[in-house]
């Protein structure tokens, strides 16, 4: 679980004009909410926040205007240039359980056929300060017809599956007709097709 310390400044001006002014200063308008408290309007350094958000479910330890732990829950980016326009942060406490989506990463190679990954992330419940960065699925040696559901995922200790256990994560399908089978070269496949045509 990654934890990043970022300095927060209070925001006292609101609206589009105020937000543009903050972004011109290379900062990002942020709203911190949760636990029944009034939303807090903050400004965070843009570059530091951008780097932090590269990690899924990064835990941000705010200091300065507030001293709190938070998780990113909503990120707005400029559709053309990609810079951060606004970020919503959810206030969390150490030991508290939160529901998040973590990425599903495939490792290994299937024995034959094609791997079809249906789910790239899965919903889990975990302690706010111990959110796994993701879950790996080992597909080494899987054959056509094999499948992995959400219930098959090996989650870290302390992490509970929230998604339906029957949800299909991935399965191995047969190669489309006409494509060379494993061990058969494209040239051999072409020769076989020509021979069939000659008959």
């Amino acid at each position: 679980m990654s934890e990043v310390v970022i300095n927060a400044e209070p925001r006292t001006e609101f609206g589009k004009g105020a937000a543009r002014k903050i972004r011109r200063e290379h900062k990002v308008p942020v709203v911190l909410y949760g636990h029944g408290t009034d939303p807090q309007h903050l400004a965070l350094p843009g570059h530091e926040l951008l780097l932090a958000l590269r990690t899924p479910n990064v835990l941000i330890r705010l200091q300065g205007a507030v001293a709190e732990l938070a998780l990113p829950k909503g990120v707005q980016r400029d559709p053309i240039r990609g810079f951060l326009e606004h970020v919503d942060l959810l206030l969390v406490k150490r030991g508290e359980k939160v529901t998040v989506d973590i990425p599903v990463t495939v490792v290994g190679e299937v024995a034959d056929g094609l791997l079809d990954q249906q789910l790239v992330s899965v919903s889990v419940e975990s302690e706010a300060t111990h959110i796994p960065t993701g879950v790996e699925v080992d597909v080494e040696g899987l054959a056509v017809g094999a499948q992995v559901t959400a219930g098959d995922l090996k989650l870290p200790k302390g992490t509970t599956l929230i998604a339906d256990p029957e949800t299909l994560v991935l399965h191995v399908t047969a190669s489309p007709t006409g494509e060379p089978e494993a061990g058969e070269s494209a040239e051999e496949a072409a020769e076989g097709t020509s021979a069939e045509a000659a008959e």
Side-chain angles (χ1 to χ4, degrees):
M1 177 71 199
S2 296
E3 182 174 320
V4 178
V5 179
I6 298 182
N7 191 60
E9 298 176 8
R11 272 198 297 144
T12 55
E13 297 180 354
F14 309 101
K16 290 184 178 180
R20 279 195 292 268
K21 180 182 177 183
I22 289 171
R23 287 192 285 268
R24 279 198 299 271
E25 295 171 352
H26 305 290
K27 298 172 185 175
V28 180
V30 169
V31 174
L32 174 68
Y33 66 95
H35 286 276
T37 61
D38 291 334
Q40 300 182 64
H41 300 270
L42 307 167
L44 270 61
H47 183 65
E48 290 179 43
L49 185 56
L50 185 64
L51 290 177
L53 293 176
R54 290 181 179 177
T55 301
N57 301 310
V58 63
L59 187 66
I60 297 176
R61 180 151 57 92
L62 299 170
Q63 63 181 19
V66 294
E68 302 285 4
L69 291 173
L71 284 172
K73 295 303 288 185
V75 178
Q76 296 176 24
R77 297 177 185 269
D78 179 270
I80 298 173
R81 291 188 284 174
F83 62 79
L84 297 174
E85 291 190 326
H86 180 89
V87 175
D88 288 334
L89 295 178
L90 177 65
L91 180 66
V92 297
K93 302 294 183 184
R94 292 192 184 278
E96 175 187 4
K97 293 277 190 176
V98 293
T99 299
V100 294
D101 290 340
I102 61 173
V104 177
T105 304
V106 173
V107 295
E109 297 288 339
V110 297
D112 56 17
L114 297 175
L115 180 65
D116 181 14
Q117 185 173 354
Q118 298 281 319
L119 207 64
V120 295
S121 64
V122 63
S123 295
V124 299
E125 184 183 67
S126 181
E127 282 191 21
T129 53
H130 292 89
I131 298 173
T133 54
V135 58
E136 289 188 345
V137 182
D138 188 356
V139 300
E140 188 65 39
L142 293 186
V144 172
Q147 63 179 28
V148 175
T149 64
D152 296 325
L153 297 175
K154 293 179 174 58
L155 298 173
K157 186 178 179 181
T159 301
T160 306
L161 182 69
I162 296 297
D164 183 347
E166 299 301 316
T167 303
L168 184 65
V169 176
L170 58 85
H171 61 141
V172 184
T173 63
S175 299
T177 305
E179 287 197 6
E181 294 293 333
E184 180 184 14
S185 69
E187 189 177 327
E188 289 171 340
E191 287 175 0
T193 305
S194 300
E196 289 174 5
E199 291 176 1

